[in-house]
Structures are given as structure tokens and as C-alpha cells.
Amino acid sequence: MANPFVRARYLLSAHTHKQLPPDGAFEVAFAGRSNAGKSSALNALCQQNALARVSKTPGRTQQLVFFDMTPPEMAPPRYLVDLPGYGYAKVPQDLQAHWQAFIDQYFRTREALKGLVVVMDIRHPLKDYDRQMLGYAVERGLPAHALLTKADKLGRGQQSQALMAVKRELFSAFGDTVSVQAFSGESKQGVDEARAVVAGWLGLSI
Ligand SMILES: Nc1nc2c(ncn2[C@@H]2O[C@H](COP(=O)(O)OP(=O)(O)OP(=O)(O)O)[C@@H](O)[C@H]2O)c(=O)[nH]1
Ligand SMILES: [Mg+2]
């Protein structure tokens, strides 16, 4: 079967629960602080420069954005979901509260959700909200994968140090339910490893 990621296409953006596609698909969500590199990671996985919108301005992705990567004649649909970034102070408070409630509900109730990727800047990993998101997934019994991105900003030695430190912390907090890797949307380091994890959760072969 051809690599299913390259077939990913924009499906829809949901600002409220009603706008979500019907539950019952297989979905993997990408969460992370604002500006962490979620949209860039999705583009790298899908080998497309302009699939998800990348921006120098934090807070660019303001809805749940669905990308469809369902192989032909396969059901149910397979989706990748770009979540709004958290932790960006300049977003108006009522809007921030709205997203928070929306994402909380999505996480608690969405049957389609098969796994969570938490995207973190390798230089600033495991902030409070990152831990909270990982905690949500683990509580629900969902697998989670920490993507330590912007690895191109560090030398090899610093990368492996950062990776080891995060591995240790994740293991003491969550046992071996959360996996972790270094990644770069810029240099494409770690793309194959991340694809394998996501494809596995979606029941797709690559
Ligand atoms: N050097 C480097 N820069 C990156 C990498 N990934 C993302 N960036 C840059 O980081 C900034 C934010 O990237 P986005 O992918 O838009 O981040 P996001 O997490 O989707 O941001 P929001 O949608 O605002 O939450 C952009 O300027 C990207 O070019 C990476 O792997 N390496
Ligand atoms: Mg984004």
C-alpha cells in the first residue's frame, strides 16, 4: 500500500462540538503549546508544505482542524487532528476558556480518538499543560507519544541528553505508556519513526 500520509487532505475545521465529523472514525490528535511546531510536524509527516498552516505568530491554529488520510475503500475514516495550541496569553480570555472546554470535552468523550501526540520544543519540554495532556490520555487508557521537535536547534549531544531526561521523567510519571523521540519538521529528522507510531494507532500499514 502507498504511504497513506501523503494522501492527507484538509477536511474541516471545528469550532464547536457540533461541527466535529461524526464519531466512529479513527483519529490521532496533535497537541502542544502554541508555537511548539504541531502544524509543521503534521506537514512533515504528510510530506506537504502547506497542508496545515504554519505561522511565526503563536495562536494560529484556532480550531480543531481535521485532515483525512483514509486509504481508498477503507472504513471507518482515518483522521489527523491539529489542536489549538495552549499557553498563549494573548488570546482573549473568553476564547481561551471556550477552547479549553471544547478540548476537554473532546478528550473525555471522543470515541474515535486512538492516540495523542504531544508536540514539545526539545529545548522546553514537559511544561505543566503538556503533562496535563499526557495525563488525560493515560487516564483514558490511550497511548501517547511525545514528539520533541525543533531538534535541529540542538547538536547531537544536547539532543540525546534532552531525550534521556524526558524519557526518565515520563517513565517516573506514566510508566512505559508514553513513548518519546526527537524530531524536526525542518530537517525531517525522526519523520519515519513518528509515522510508524501514528500509522500503528490508526491501523494503517506504511
Ligand atoms: N527550526 C525549526 N523551526 C520549527 C520547527 N517546527 C516548527 N518551527 C517553527 O516554529 C514556528 C511555529 O510552528 P507551527 O508549526 O506553526 O507551530 P504550532 O504548534 O502549529 O503553532 P500554533 O498553531 O500557533 O499553536 C514557525 O515559525 C515554524 O517555522 C522545527 O522542527 N525546526
Ligand atoms: Mg498550528
Side-chain angles (χ1 to χ4, degrees):
M1 196 194 302
N3 177 354
F5 288 88
V6 301
R7 217 182 295 106
R9 293 290 175 268
Y10 172 80
L11 179 69
L12 59 81
S13 298
H15 196 72
T16 64
H17 212 76
K18 275 196 194 138
Q19 294 169 347
L20 292 172
D23 208 344
F26 281 23
E27 292 166 14
V28 170
F30 288 68
R33 291 175 65 77
S34 205
N35 221 38
K38 297 174 292 298
S39 300
S40 302
L42 276 162
N43 287 341
L45 292 185
C46 299
Q47 278 177 50
Q48 300 178 46
N49 293 330
L51 183 69
R53 279 179 71 184
V54 171
S55 172
K56 290 196 166 33
T57 319
R60 170 59 60 203
T61 308
Q62 306 199 338
Q63 299 99 356
L64 269 63
V65 184
F66 282 74
F67 301 99
D68 186 352
M69 56 178 281
T70 317
E73 294 165 34
M74 185 179 274
R78 282 8 191 221
Y79 299 139
L80 302 173
V81 187
D82 194 3
L83 300 182
Y86 40 77
Y88 180 53
K90 283 190 190 160
V91 173
Q93 275 209 329
D94 51 349
L95 196 59
Q96 219 165 39
H98 165 79
W99 294 346
Q100 174 85 55
F102 182 24
I103 290 180
D104 281 355
Q105 186 183 8
Y106 174 81
F107 262 95
R108 274 185 287 104
T109 63
R110 189 75 171 171
E111 290 287 326
L113 190 60
K114 301 301 177 206
L116 173 71
V117 177
V118 175
V119 179
M120 299 180 275
D121 187 320
I122 193 166
R123 298 163 300 175
H124 315 285
L126 292 175
K127 302 285 186 195
D128 284 352
Y129 210 156
D130 298 322
R131 291 171 193 274
Q132 209 172 310
M133 293 300 279
L134 291 165
Y136 266 148
V138 171
E139 265 169 44
R140 255 196 70 173
L142 289 176
H145 186 63
L147 211 57
L148 302 181
T149 193
K150 306 195 185 179
D152 57 284
K153 301 269 195 187
L154 297 180
R156 286 280 163 176
Q158 286 173 306
Q159 278 185 36
S160 49
Q161 265 180 3
L163 186 60
M164 286 310 294
V166 170
K167 262 189 192 157
R168 267 197 303 274
E169 282 203 48
L170 287 175
F171 188 78
S172 70
F174 305 112
D176 55 10
T177 54
V178 181
S179 49
V180 55
Q181 68 163 107
F183 185 88
S184 169
E186 192 89 1
S187 74
K188 318 297 182 219
Q189 174 189 339
V191 164
D192 289 344
E193 188 179 349
R195 272 195 195 136
V197 171
V198 173
W201 293 343
L202 291 176
L204 298 175
S205 48
I206 45 172

